[in-house]
RNA sequence: GGCCCCAUCGUCUAGCGGUCCAGGACAUCGCCCUUUCACGGCGAAGGUCGCGGGUUCGAAUCCCGCUGGGGUCACCA
């Protein structure tokens, strides 16, 4: 199988030193021949713009937030409707949102549905819904309207066609009739040779420096053969730009493939559509994941072709799995919906995700931020460069912090429906009206606030406030039951029956007064009382728990427990 | 493999040439509070600042190289 090395290249066909037009040594395929060592390298050909100079970097945010035209700041989140909202996507959306809000600008959500095959019906609306549930509300979107619509790319096809035509006319783009098989074959051949897979420019027309005669192209066009349109990436120029989080980044155009702009189904590719839309929608700052960094040269080139001023770019570090690979579904939940369904609150999720890659810096010890505080304090210069592992423990802790401070009424409104659902599942011997009252729930909440991980646990984890226990934790029973426990307990029940004041203070006094002459410690009764009333060996202050449950319930549960003879 | 990005306790991070033999948070462990659990308080353990060279009177901080990790190389986004 050997492919001869490239023949010593003769003089360039045209004035352009294009290696692509070098004579081919082997007929098997028209491979991309690596450039001769003496190619002409033109650094800084593209005049891209330094957004800020190192000196101004340290200055106020305000400078950074001004675009060079002093326009209104507009950011965008551009998901493709292929499924759920990813936590990484949520963070990207959040940073865009925070940045726009802080600058008093607009935050736009645009649906990038140029891949008809991967499109999932309804995913666009779901994405938006989850975003809003998380607390991020766009100013413009398919649902919110705006003056820059439509906000779905599939409804902007005419626009892309028009701009593509322009590129064709300006010789920045060309038709390509290569088949998928052909491309694949070429790719594999190149890979086998250890080369970067790249389109071989077979269909690059002669007048653009290639060697396909215009007649051939016209013939195919007349036949109605399927085609794509590719951009012609200039040879050997240096493309550089200043990334807000990463600083200067430079690419050599020789490593950039002739990107497909329009697919054979008439849809644009992401690269083409997003550049046009970002420009038309007057997006001033593109804040997106680092996975887009390597397509910067393509995008920048397009701005250059059109003569548009590019927006500022900020490429965010990736969110990582515990093994430090890009956060993926395989290693746990990644859908925002899943977290919401598990009971995490939107505030906690947002708070957590905001801190993954951003911090206020310099001596701050704050970990809990409201959305408003984030808006006030956020800045892109304080976004880190390194990827961050998604650490669920920290999220759990943040969630708890929020539960501690959440107003009782707010919690009640959430748990009431949950409670009703539980009550529908099984019978309770308690007064259903009472246990559903706000007053009762408020008491439960105060007792359990610091012991619960999620709001939903005010019902599930605290079920003994609504149902008599059916089982008693054997380990707890074993630990707390002594020889004469049942006996003493039986006696104490009769005391309780004569007690009308079931306030925590009084119960404590009663129990102490009962226990003292019998030469027992309070704990002798406290633990069994807890177990018979809750089924478990842990929980809130016993006296307060009994107070909330009420005399009737407590006595019923104690008698039941004695009958069941739990220690046996 | 080519190109690009990144690199401070297990994890998230502070640190932008001296005040750092590196500070905080989560997780872990211990003590205190306490009838239990949780909360809270106090404390411990945990980093040769990936490695090697420079620059400098002085480097986690600047430069170069290496190593490691990640991303990307589609008519997917």
């Amino acid at each position: 199988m050997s492919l001869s090395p490239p023949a010593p290249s003769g003089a360039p066909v045209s004035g352009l030193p294009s290696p692509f037009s070098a004579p081919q040594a082997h007929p098997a395929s028209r491979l991309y021949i690596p450039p001769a060592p003496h190619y002409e390298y033109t650094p800084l050909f593209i005049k891209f713009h330094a957004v800020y100079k190192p000196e101004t970097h340290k200055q106020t945010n305000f400078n950074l937030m001004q675009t060079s035209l002093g326009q209104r700041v507009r950011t965008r989140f551009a998901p493709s409707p292929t499924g759920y909202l990813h936590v990484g996507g949520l963070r990207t959306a959040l940073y865009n949102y925070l940045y726009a809000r802080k600058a008093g600008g607009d935050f736009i959500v645009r649906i990038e549905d140029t891949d008809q095959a991967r499109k999932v019906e309804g995913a666009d609306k779901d994405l938006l819904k989850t975003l809003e549930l998380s607390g991020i509300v766009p100013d413009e979107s398919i649902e919110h309207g705006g003056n820059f619509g439509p906000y779905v790319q599939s409804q902007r096809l005419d626009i892309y066609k028009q701009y593509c035509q322009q590129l064709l006319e300006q010789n920045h783009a060309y038709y390509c009739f290569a088949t998928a098989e052909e491309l694949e074959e070429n790719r594999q051949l190149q890979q086998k040779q250890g080369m970067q897979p790249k389109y071989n420019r077979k269909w690059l027309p002669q007048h653009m420096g290639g060697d396909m005669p215009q007649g051939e192209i016209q013939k195919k066009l007349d036949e109605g053969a399927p085609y794509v349109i590719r951009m012609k990436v200039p040879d050997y120029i240096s493309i550089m730009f200043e990334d807000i989080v990463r600083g200067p980044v430079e690419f050599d155009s020789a490593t950039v493939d002739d990107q497909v702009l329009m697919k054979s189904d008439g849809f644009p590719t992401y690269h083409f559509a997003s550049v046009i839309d970002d420009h038309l929608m007057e997006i001033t700052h593109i804040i997106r994941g680092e996975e887009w960094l390597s397509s910067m040269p393509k995008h920048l080139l397009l701005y250059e072709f059109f003569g548009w001023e590019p927006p500022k770019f900020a490429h965010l570090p990736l969110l990582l799995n515990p093994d430090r690979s890009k956060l993926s579904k395989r290693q746990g939940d990644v859908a925002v919906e899943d977290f919401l369904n598990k009971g995490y609150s939107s505030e906690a999720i947002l708070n957590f995700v905001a801190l993954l890659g951003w911090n206020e810096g310099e001596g701050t010890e704050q970990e809990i931020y409201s959305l408003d505080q984030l808006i006030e304090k956020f800045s892109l210069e304080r976004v880190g460069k390194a990827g961050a592992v998604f650490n669920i423990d920290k999220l759990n802790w943040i969630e708890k912090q929020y539960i501690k401070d959440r107003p009782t009424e707010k919690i009640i409104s959430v748990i009431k429906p949950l409670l009703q659902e539980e009550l529908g599942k099984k019978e309770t011997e308690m007064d259903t009206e009472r246990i559903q009252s706000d007053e009762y729930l408020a008491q439960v909440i105060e007792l359990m606030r610091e012991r619960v991980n999620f709001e939903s646990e005010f019902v599930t984890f605290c079920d003994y406030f609504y149902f008599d226990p059916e089982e008693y934790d054997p380990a707890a029973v074993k630990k707390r039951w002594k020889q004469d426990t049942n006996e003493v307990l039986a006696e104490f029940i009769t005391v309780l029956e004569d007690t009308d004041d079931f306030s925590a203070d009084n119960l404590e006094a009663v129990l102490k007064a009962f226990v003292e002459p019998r030469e027992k410690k309070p704990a002798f009764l406290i633990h069994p009382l807890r177990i018979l009333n809750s089924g478990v060996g842990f929980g809130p202050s016993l006296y307060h728990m009994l107070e909330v449950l009420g005399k009737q319930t407590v006595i019923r549960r104690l008698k039941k427990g004695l009958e069941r003879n739990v220690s046996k």
Side-chain angles (χ1 to χ4, degrees), chain A residues 17-207:
Chain A
S18 169
F20 301 101
S21 52
Q24 299 300 302
H26 197 282
S29 74
R30 301 179 52 82
L31 291 178
Y32 161 57
I33 306 298
H38 49 70
Y39 68 82
E40 210 173 300
Y41 187 85
T42 317
L44 306 183
F45 176 75
I46 303 277
K47 56 181 186 298
F48 287 126
H49 77 283
V51 172
Y52 54 88
K53 303 214 164 52
E55 301 85 69
T56 59
H57 187 172
K58 289 183 192 170
Q59 291 179 2
T60 63
N61 306 330
F62 188 69
N63 282 345
L64 262 173
M65 297 178 86
Q66 295 266 310
T67 69
S68 51
L69 299 176
Q71 323 136 293
R72 182 180 178 84
V73 164
R74 288 170 60 80
T75 65
R76 107 265 128 136
F77 175 56
S80 68
T82 52
Y84 52 86
L85 178 64
H86 191 279
V87 285
L90 179 68
R91 189 195 55 172
T92 303
L94 175 65
Y95 284 10
N96 273 285
Y97 175 83
L98 295 176
Y99 194 75
R101 277 287 166 280
K102 175 159 189 178
D106 307 314
F107 169 66
I108 291 106
V109 172
R110 181 178 69 225
I111 304 295
E112 311 235 328
D113 61 344
T114 54
D115 186 344
Q116 292 306 97
R118 290 208 310 156
K119 191 171 178 173
V120 173
E121 210 45 58
D124 50 355
K125 300 249 167 75
D126 288 347
L127 243 19
L128 233 20
K129 201 182 88 197
T130 307
L131 204 55
E132 290 200 29
L133 242 31
S134 309
I136 301 177
V137 184
D139 298 301
E140 298 167 25
S141 80
I142 49 171
E143 307 258 277
H144 302 81
N147 299 323
F148 296 81
Y151 294 91
V152 211
Q153 294 185 325
S154 58
Q155 287 174 27
R156 303 169 63 80
L157 263 26
D158 289 344
I159 300 173
Y160 309 127
K161 259 175 206 141
Q162 181 193 325
Y163 282 100
C164 188
Q165 192 55 40
Q166 184 186 333
L167 254 25
L168 245 15
E169 283 161 15
Q170 292 173 171
N171 289 335
H172 283 130
Y174 59 96
Y175 295 96
C176 170
F177 299 90
T179 63
E181 299 74 48
E182 211 177 314
L183 293 171
E184 184 52 37
E185 195 183 317
N186 186 236
R187 226 190 323 271
Q188 290 195 349
L189 222 42
Q190 289 168 336
Q191 241 151 13
K192 219 184 265 178
Q193 292 195 318
M195 291 195 289
Q196 178 196 7
K198 227 174 142 183
Y199 175 56
N200 61 14
R201 284 187 163 170
K202 176 179 170 185
W203 287 95
L204 185 65
Q206 284 174 334
H207 68 275

Side-chain angles (χ1 to χ4, degrees), chain A residues 82-372:
Chain A
T82 52
Y84 52 86
L85 178 64
H86 191 279
V87 285
L90 179 68
R91 189 195 55 172
T92 303
L94 175 65
Y95 284 10
N96 273 285
Y97 175 83
L98 295 176
Y99 194 75
R101 277 287 166 280
K102 175 159 189 178
D106 307 314
F107 169 66
I108 291 106
V109 172
R110 181 178 69 225
I111 304 295
E112 311 235 328
D113 61 344
T114 54
D115 186 344
Q116 292 306 97
R118 290 208 310 156
K119 191 171 178 173
V120 173
E121 210 45 58
D124 50 355
K125 300 249 167 75
D126 288 347
L127 243 19
L128 233 20
K129 201 182 88 197
T130 307
L131 204 55
E132 290 200 29
L133 242 31
S134 309
I136 301 177
V137 184
D139 298 301
E140 298 167 25
S141 80
I142 49 171
E143 307 258 277
H144 302 81
N147 299 323
F148 296 81
Y151 294 91
V152 211
Q153 294 185 325
S154 58
Q155 287 174 27
R156 303 169 63 80
L157 263 26
D158 289 344
I159 300 173
Y160 309 127
K161 259 175 206 141
Q162 181 193 325
Y163 282 100
C164 188
Q165 192 55 40
Q166 184 186 333
L167 254 25
L168 245 15
E169 283 161 15
Q170 292 173 171
N171 289 335
H172 283 130
Y174 59 96
Y175 295 96
C176 170
F177 299 90
T179 63
E181 299 74 48
E182 211 177 314
L183 293 171
E184 184 52 37
E185 195 183 317
N186 186 236
R187 226 190 323 271
Q188 290 195 349
L189 222 42
Q190 289 168 336
Q191 241 151 13
K192 219 184 265 178
Q193 292 195 318
M195 291 195 289
Q196 178 196 7
K198 227 174 142 183
Y199 175 56
N200 61 14
R201 284 187 163 170
K202 176 179 170 185
W203 287 95
L204 185 65
Q206 284 174 334
H207 68 275
M208 284 172 70
D211 42 23
M212 185 58 70
Q214 186 58 39
E216 288 291 310
I217 298 167
Q218 195 55 52
K219 207 176 104 194
K220 280 282 193 187
L221 243 22
D222 294 342
E223 282 171 11
Y227 62 83
V228 301
I229 295 170
R230 289 178 183 274
M231 68 187 284
K232 161 89 165 37
V233 174
D235 303 321
Y236 315 128
I237 60 169
S238 171
I239 300 164
M240 55 190 307
F241 78 106
E242 190 90 9
D243 189 277
I244 299 175
V245 340
R246 275 150 224 287
V249 182
E250 185 174 356
F251 298 87
D252 182 342
S253 74
T255 66
V256 182
D257 204 356
D258 278 2
Q259 178 63 44
V260 170
L261 264 19
M262 292 297 268
K263 302 183 266 189
S264 55
D265 63 359
F267 277 74
T269 56
Y270 163 84
H271 303 283
F272 191 52
S274 74
V275 165
I276 291 173
D277 289 345
D278 287 335
H279 177 256
L280 261 22
M281 294 180 179
E282 294 178 16
I283 303 302
T284 56
H285 299 260
I286 293 182
I287 303 165
R288 74 219 313 185
E290 193 192 334
E291 67 265 33
W292 295 109
L293 193 54
S294 30
S295 29
M296 276 307 285
K298 294 166 185 176
H299 300 175
L300 255 9
L301 243 17
L302 287 172
Y303 284 101
E304 180 74 7
F305 291 164
F306 286 120
W308 295 337
E309 187 195 356
K312 318 284 181 287
F313 291 90
H315 288 92
L316 270 21
L318 260 20
L319 257 33
L320 271 25
N321 289 313
D323 70 358
R324 304 204 76 87
S325 59
K326 189 167 150 184
L327 189 63
S328 67
K329 195 166 191 168
R330 293 205 53 179
Q331 304 189 31
D333 286 322
V334 294
V336 175
E337 268 182 279
D338 291 344
F339 287 98
L340 254 14
N341 289 152
K342 273 194 179 169
Y344 292 99
S345 61
S346 61
E347 302 103 296
I349 297 173
L350 244 29
N351 192 147
F352 172 60
V353 115
L355 259 18
L356 251 27
W358 172 85
N359 74 85
E360 221 188 304
E362 192 76 77
T364 351
E365 289 180 13
Q366 189 172 348
E367 304 276 345
I368 302 301
Y369 292 89
S370 67
L371 229 204
D372 284 342

Side-chain angles (χ1 to χ4, degrees), chain A residues 480 482 484-485 488-489 492 508-529 542-543:
Chain A
R480 304 300 186 184
K482 307 288 178 248
D484 51 344
T485 297
V488 181
L489 220 36
F492 186 62
E508 180 167 2
V510 168
L511 185 136
K512 281 187 173 151
F514 173 82
V515 115
E516 207 173 327
R518 278 158 248 260
E519 293 184 348
K520 301 281 186 197
K521 296 206 159 182
F524 180 86
L525 271 186
I526 284 175
H527 296 292
L529 285 170
L542 176 82
Y543 304 116

